[in-house]
Amino acid sequence: MNIKNTLLLSGLALAGFVNTVYAVENAAPCVSYAEASWFLNGESPYQAFTKCRSGSIVSDPHITTFNGIAYDHNFPGDYALVALQDGTGFSINGRFIFDKANTVSAYTIPKAIQFNWSEHSLEIHRSEDSTLVFLDGAPLKVKNNGKVAIGDVGYIQRKDKSYLIANTQSDIATVVNVNKFYVDINVTVPSETDTVGLLGQPFSLGLLDGNGAALPVTDDSSDTGLGHVTRADFVDFIESWRFNQ
């Protein structure tokens, strides 16, 4: 599995902006569904219609996988959020840093999101005063209500501080909402897509770590309808998807 794992430093000079409006017709169903919801309220649905599943990373941060598992992530570093196993080389990575504004607990917050195709990359960074976007390593300016092509594999749209990134190759849509404190993301994928990473798989109740091993789940004796995962196993699962170990 070839996943790019180096995110640009957010301090790069903003020069050579690209500003190309691009229209995509006949988008795939999951992209169309997420895009319609995004236009309506600036968000992507937590669970889309039957053909699609959504996973999210919000706040400090709370993660909901494609199969509905919810957990908190309080570990700094660069992590694989989504990696497709379909040969396209598409992946979504995230950078998490300690929340310096929180003096009580060691929460982490998303700082940057990276999208990788085999020949293209897109990054969205949160800064104190603005949002920095890079396409293939170069600063990119996306006008409000504008759309910019990502080669022939997708596009990015902007609506105020919210961005929709479409992977038209694999019918995947990601909504990235940026504010002063957080970068929240919601990813919508086809329900049969073979994915790995912190957002799990849409068609399986299990989670696979970075070595392909299933996260051990045992019966909860207090409730036969629930499973139980030890804290140590879960930490190992999260750490297996961290790049800078």
Side-chain angles (χ1 to χ4, degrees), residues 48-82:
F49 68 106
T50 308
K51 293 183 178 180
C52 308
R53 302 290 292 177
S54 293
S56 63
I57 300 176
V58 299
S59 190
D60 55 0
H62 308 295
I63 296 179
T64 303
T65 67
F66 296 126
N67 54 26
I69 297 174
Y71 65 94
D72 292 340
H73 179 294
N74 290 313
F75 304 91
D78 294 351
Y79 291 84
L81 309 181
V82 178

Side-chain angles (χ1 to χ4, degrees), residues 179-199:
N179 60 51
K180 184 177 180 180
F181 302 103
Y182 305 116
V183 177
D184 294 341
I185 76 169
N186 190 295
V187 185
T188 301
V189 302
S191 57
E192 297 302 319
T193 300
D194 189 3
T195 66
V196 292
L198 292 186
L199 285 179

Side-chain angles (χ1 to χ4, degrees), residues 88-111:
T88 63
F90 181 74
S91 64
I92 305 174
N93 303 326
R95 171 167 293 169
F96 300 86
I97 62 172
F98 280 121
D99 183 2
K100 296 180 180 179
N102 191 315
T103 59
V104 179
S105 302
Y107 291 118
T108 58
I109 54 176
K111 172 70 173 178

